[in-house]
């Protein structure tokens, strides 16, 4: 057993866990926890080929994707590899009941974020869109594995949070009208970005990046990192625009309808 899983899979932790697995002569990797724990299992599978059996305890959804992440010297790198996709997933809803309400709400919003980005993904298709729209209603993570992710997830990898979702949706709103209409329909509102913002407020989630420890002087650096490589996103990703987005998210401003 190895119980030191940490957010964003720091490389040192991954290497220690890999050594532990080797020392135990493990023939399988069983993970029980949130996506940080699943992510650690993926780091082990990536270098050992061990099959993963995972029991998720929240809604983050990593168990359904071939995507792994590793953090080295403060920078998170992600990749796709079939070896890290769990061979077996056991969903036991009773494992989620110990989630404190705030964590449950944040994890649910994370699942919704996966669905929103799947709806405007460059490689989405009618089936992933159906799952994503339904997932927003039912909070599913499965849409994440089947379609590529865009600006919101890039910002999450830079910032380590999901709290910019309404602002990322606002950023992309006019460039992805069909996706936004589906998000709004699933939320039962007329406008997706404000609907997401209001849902977060209803759930008691702090709307501002500053409330979750983001330093103000970090905004420009985050905008720079998020725009230094290109990736598919409905609206072109430019430094000045992303800076504006992050300032709005930093202050927790309600997106303009
Ligand atoms: N590769 C992918 O496809 C993918 C998908 C989603 C998230 N991720 C990654 O996973 C990480 C975040 O995962 P997360 O959001 O699941 O958070 P997490 O796994 O870090 O869990 C957050 C906190 O909730 C606690 N927790 C989890 N389940 C609980 C339960 N049932 N009862 C009480 N406490 C519980 C954990 O101990 C932890 O303190 C990030 O690094 C993110 O990038 C990767």
């Amino acid at each position: 057993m190895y119980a030191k899983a940490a957010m964003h899979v720091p490389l040192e932790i991954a290497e220690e866990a890999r050594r532990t697995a080797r020392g135990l002569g493990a023939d399988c990797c069983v993970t029980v926890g949130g996506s940080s724990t699943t992510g650690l299992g993926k780091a082990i599978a990536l270098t050992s080929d061990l099959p993963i059996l995972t029991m998720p305890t929240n809604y983050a959804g990593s168990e359904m994707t071939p995507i792994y992440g590793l953090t080295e010297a403060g920078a998170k790198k992600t990749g796709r590899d079939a070896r890290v996709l769990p061979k077996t997933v056991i969903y036991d809803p009773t494992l989620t009941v110990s989630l404190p309400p705030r964590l449950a709400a944040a994890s649910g919003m994370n699942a919704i974020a996966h669905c929103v980005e799947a709806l405007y993904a460059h490689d989405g298709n009618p089936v992933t869109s159906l799952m994503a729209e339904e997932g927003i209603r039912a909070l599913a993570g499965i849409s994440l594995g089947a379609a590529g992710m865009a600006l919101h997830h890039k910002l999450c990898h830079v910032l380590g949070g999901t709290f910019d979702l309404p602002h990322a949706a606002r950023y992309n709103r006019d460039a992805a009208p069909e996706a936004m209409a589906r998000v709004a329909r699933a939320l039962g509102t007329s406008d997706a970005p404000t609907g997401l913002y209001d849902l977060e407020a209803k759930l008691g989630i702090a709307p501002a990046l500053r409330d979750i420890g983001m330093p103000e002087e970090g905004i420009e650096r985050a905008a720079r990192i998020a725009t230094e490589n290109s990736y598919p996103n409905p609206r072109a990703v430019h430094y000045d625009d992303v800076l504006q987005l992050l300032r709005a998210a930093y202050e927790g401003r309600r997106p303009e309808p």
Side-chain angles (χ1 to χ4, degrees):
M1 181 163 122
Y2 186 83
K4 295 191 217 159
M7 192 81 99
H8 306 308
V9 196
L11 188 61
E12 326 68 268
I13 299 273
E15 284 179 348
E16 192 179 74
R18 288 166 175 164
R19 279 195 298 277
T20 305
R22 271 198 304 275
L24 290 168
D27 57 4
C28 167
C29 178
V30 177
T31 71
V32 183
S35 285
S36 295
T37 307
T38 311
L40 183 59
K42 288 177 167 183
I44 295 172
L46 190 64
T47 52
S48 66
D49 271 348
L50 288 184
I52 303 175
L53 179 153
T54 187
M55 299 179 72
T57 60
N58 65 11
Y59 317 115
S62 172
E63 69 281 359
M64 283 292 165
T65 82
I67 302 164
Y68 63 89
L70 281 166
T71 302
E72 191 176 4
K76 181 167 176 176
K77 294 198 179 107
T78 60
R80 280 176 183 256
D81 193 304
R83 286 173 300 177
V84 309
L85 181 69
K87 298 280 183 289
T88 303
V89 179
I90 299 175
Y91 285 113
D92 178 352
T94 62
L95 292 177
T96 63
V97 295
S98 55
L99 275 169
R102 255 164 212 280
L103 270 186
S107 189
M109 284 308 296
N110 189 16
I112 288 179
H114 296 150
C115 297
V116 171
E117 292 246 291
L119 276 170
Y120 55 60
H122 69 289
D123 54 356
N125 61 55
V127 176
T128 57
S129 290
L130 270 179
M131 288 196 293
E133 186 178 339
E134 207 44 49
I136 292 174
R137 288 193 193 92
L139 299 187
I142 198 167
S143 55
L144 175 63
M149 293 286 115
L151 178 63
H152 165 75
H153 273 82
K154 178 67 187 177
L155 292 172
C156 285
H157 290 163
V158 178
L159 301 171
T162 67
F163 300 86
D164 59 352
L165 174 63
H167 303 94
R170 175 69 183 84
Y171 187 95
N172 284 324
R173 186 179 66 189
D174 299 337
E178 196 189 322
M180 291 303 151
R182 295 183 79 147
V183 174
R185 186 165 65 192
L187 292 171
T189 63
S190 56
D191 176 66
T194 50
L196 291 165
Y197 184 92
D198 294 344
L199 177 62
E200 283 191 347
K202 210 186 312 178
L203 291 169
I205 293 176
L209 287 174
R210 68 173 163 218
D211 295 338
I212 56 161
M214 170 86 182
E216 190 167 8
E217 60 277 13
I219 296 176
E220 287 180 13
R221 182 161 174 261
R224 214 170 31 251
I225 297 172
T227 52
E228 65 193 6
N229 297 316
S230 67
Y231 47 90
N233 189 67
R235 175 177 158 194
V237 177
H238 297 304
Y239 174 81
D240 288 342
D241 301 331
V242 170
L243 188 64
Q244 220 180 333
L245 179 169
L246 286 175
R247 280 202 201 290
Y250 177 80
E251 288 163 18
R253 268 186 264 140
R254 188 171 187 266
E256 280 165 32

